[in-house]
Amino acid sequence: MSLFTHVLACLFGIGSWVAINGMWVELPLIVPSIPEGWYLPSYLTIIIQMANIGPLFITLMHRFRPGVLDERPVIYTIVTVGVVATFLLAFLWNRTLTFGGGEHSAALLSLSFLLSVVDCTSSVTFLPFMMRLQPRYLTTYFIGEGLSGLVPALVALTQGVGVVHCKNASVNANFSMGNSSLGFDGELQAHYQPANFSAQGFFLFLSAMMMVCLGAFLLLNFHPAVAREHKSKGYVDDSQRVEKIDMSQAPNNENPEQTPMLDFPEGPVIKLRSSFGKGTYSRTELVFIFVVLAWVNALTNAVLPSVQAYSCLPYGNQAYHLAATLSSVANPVACFIAMFVPIRTLVLMGFLTVTGTGFGAYIMGMAALSPCPLLINHDLGAALIVLTWVIFVLTLSYVKVIIGVILRDEGHSALVWCGAVVQLGSMLGALSMFPLSRRT
């Protein structure tokens, strides 16, 4: 039954970001049919950052009203919204409305915002929910979260998204198309090949994946076999645990819940190294952990993905597809490795962060030199950029899992802040790259 619970935790994790990741991989198919065209990625970037209102609300509730908000009703709500929104996208994604002096994909943009709220809020609800299960299932959840990017990418690959052939425009030079010219002799035009199945089928697949996530969540809550995998003494959140430990030390029977979670009072009465979680780590160590978490998520979720095409396409389409596919595989592989080699030392965390950042710097350098990066005419250049992408994702994904495991041991509130910092880092990375991507 432990294997059954692992499978459920993995399927639950897949639902965390499968909707938005699916939107990104489907862009080449939907962009030619909407008035926004290739401005849509920029709009999606802004929409996703606006959706951080969801995790902001959850974090503030945990900060100012600890113990009041139960994440389970929130998860039921957002996953159900995800199921409905992806289902509606299948039928409304190409519908347009005329307002503001032009046509706009109102349904696509509105439903994308709802899906962004769902996925962003999952960062601060799914992780804290995993506190209800034994610690070993958290790594399985991270594997599922990694698969949330790989699974839609593989389906899009089967669909044939983005397959393009260049044809000589002079072949059609004798044909008239109104007042427009088809091009000069020797000019190449891009011709996208028809997909093996439509965008409607792809969005229905995403809706089915969200339903699988909802089903897994229901079983994690109510299946009798899974109930035996819950904590032996039942679920106790941080506020209850702190009350039991520190009540005898609190003057005038003052409720320790009133103490701000991230304040670190100093004094001889406090025996813990900090007032956060179990007090295992000092204030400096906690700051280091959260800074690393924000930095790693900024790089992996926003900064480097925004320049992947610039760094890989000069070496050819094959290098680009290999880098995108293998780096997607590297994420769940890193989580799988962390399941068997859960090294939690902060020294290793710092070393891997520096190593991954170094490989990220090489990727940024090649993107800055695009369209003429180093070794552009050599197979070694293509091999290096693919290998760099794989190692970059592998090392920093391992760091993210280890930080999640560390903070899981610190308690429920630590995982809430973990999700909040993940979203903060991703938001800062996206906002920093947005003007640069618009300029290019």
Side-chain angles (χ1 to χ4, degrees):
M1 301 316 298
S2 176
L3 177 61
F4 178 66
T5 308
H6 277 295
V7 172
L8 291 179
C10 183
L11 293 175
F12 178 56
I14 289 177
S16 59
W17 281 93
V18 70
I20 290 300
N21 287 333
M23 283 291 299
W24 283 110
V25 299
E26 195 69 0
L27 284 180
L29 189 61
I30 64 179
V31 157
S33 303
I34 60 174
E36 287 79 10
W38 280 107
Y39 285 109
L40 180 60
S42 299
Y43 295 151
L44 282 180
T45 301
I46 296 300
I47 287 172
I48 292 172
Q49 304 318 314
M50 291 171 57
N52 279 306
I53 186 175
L56 177 62
F57 171 76
I58 299 296
T59 305
L60 290 177
M61 283 293 294
H62 281 286
R63 171 64 178 82
F64 295 106
R65 300 294 300 275
V68 172
L69 184 66
D70 186 350
E71 66 268 1
R72 286 174 298 180
V74 179
I75 295 175
Y76 281 122
T77 301
I78 63 175
V79 177
T80 302
V81 170
V83 172
V84 175
T86 47
F87 182 79
L88 292 177
L89 265 180
F91 303 97
L92 302 176
W93 69 269
N94 56 352
R95 302 291 180 89
T96 60
L97 290 177
T98 302
F99 61 90
E103 281 192 323
H104 301 279
S105 303
L108 176 65
L109 296 176
S110 301
L111 293 172
S112 296
F113 174 74
L114 287 179
L115 292 178
S116 299
V117 172
V118 169
D119 289 2
C120 291
T121 308
S122 72
S123 296
V124 292
T125 53
F126 284 23
L127 273 176
F129 169 78
M130 293 305 296
M131 275 290 297
R132 300 173 183 268
L133 301 176
Q134 298 293 341
R136 61 180 178 271
Y137 297 114
L138 181 63
T139 306
T140 310
Y141 165 82
F142 278 116
I143 293 177
E145 193 176 77
L147 290 175
S148 69
L150 178 61
V151 170
L154 293 178
V155 174
L157 188 63
T158 304
Q159 186 185 16
V161 169
V163 177
V164 62
H165 294 290
C166 294
K167 295 183 179 180
N168 196 320
S170 62
V171 175
N172 301 321
N174 294 327
F175 293 89
S176 173
M177 292 186 66
N179 296 325
S180 62
S181 173
L182 291 177
F184 300 102
D185 290 345
E187 181 182 346
L188 296 178
Q189 289 182 340
H191 292 265
Y192 288 92
Q193 300 303 299
N196 296 324
F197 56 90
S198 66
Q200 182 182 73
F202 183 84
F203 288 128
L204 288 175
F205 162 77
L206 293 182
S207 183
M209 291 302 301
M210 293 302 296
M211 291 183 67
V212 168
C213 173
L214 180 59
F217 182 62
L218 284 168
L219 291 174
L220 286 173
N221 278 288
F222 298 111
H223 196 283
V226 179
R228 293 195 292 268
E229 298 292 341
H230 286 206
K231 293 182 177 180
S232 58
K233 295 184 180 180
Y235 176 74
V236 179
D237 65 17
D238 285 345
S239 60
Q240 294 169 322
R241 177 181 57 76
V242 172
E243 185 177 359
K244 290 180 180 179
I245 294 175
D246 295 339
M247 199 64 178
S248 62
Q249 299 178 4
N252 301 325
N253 292 329
E254 216 175 69
N255 192 345
E257 288 182 12
Q258 302 302 317
T259 303
M261 180 166 40
L262 287 181
D263 288 343
F264 299 89
E266 297 180 359
V269 179
I270 303 301
K271 297 180 180 180
L272 301 176
R273 297 182 65 187
S274 75
S275 63
F276 185 85
K278 296 180 180 179
T280 308
Y281 299 93
S282 66
R283 171 187 285 187
T284 303
E285 290 170 333
L286 285 172
V287 169
F288 172 74
I289 290 172
F290 281 118
V291 168
V292 167
L293 182 63
W295 174 255
V296 166
N297 280 278
L299 293 183
T300 57
N301 296 344
V303 176
L304 271 300
S306 66
V307 300
Q308 187 170 46
Y310 296 104
S311 65
C312 297
L313 278 178
Y315 297 101
N317 285 329
Q318 184 178 12
Y320 174 73
H321 288 298
L322 280 175
T325 304
L326 293 180
S327 60
S328 296
V329 174
N331 191 325
V333 168
C335 301
F336 189 76
I337 293 173
M339 180 181 294
F340 298 99
V341 191
I343 302 175
R344 308 184 187 186
T345 64
L346 300 187
V347 175
L348 178 64
M349 182 194 304
F351 173 77
L352 291 178
T353 302
V354 172
T355 301
T357 302
F359 283 100
Y362 178 83
I363 293 171
M364 285 295 294
M366 296 306 100
L369 294 175
S370 181
C372 299
L374 301 177
L375 302 172
I376 187 174
N377 296 319
H378 298 275
D379 292 337
L380 178 61
L384 276 178
I385 196 66
V386 172
L387 184 63
T388 300
W389 266 102
V390 171
I391 297 177
F392 165 75
V393 175
L394 192 69
T395 53
L396 296 191
S397 295
Y398 185 88
V399 170
K400 287 193 286 186
V401 176
I402 293 304
I403 292 178
V405 172
I406 288 175
L407 295 179
R408 191 252 177 241
D409 291 343
E410 291 300 298
H412 177 270
S413 296
L415 284 182
V416 174
W417 283 100
C418 176
V421 173
V422 165
Q423 288 304 117
L424 177 63
S426 302
M427 180 183 69
L428 294 177
L431 293 180
S432 65
M433 293 304 295
F434 180 74
L436 297 178
S437 61
R438 292 284 293 182
R439 193 172 300 172
T440 54

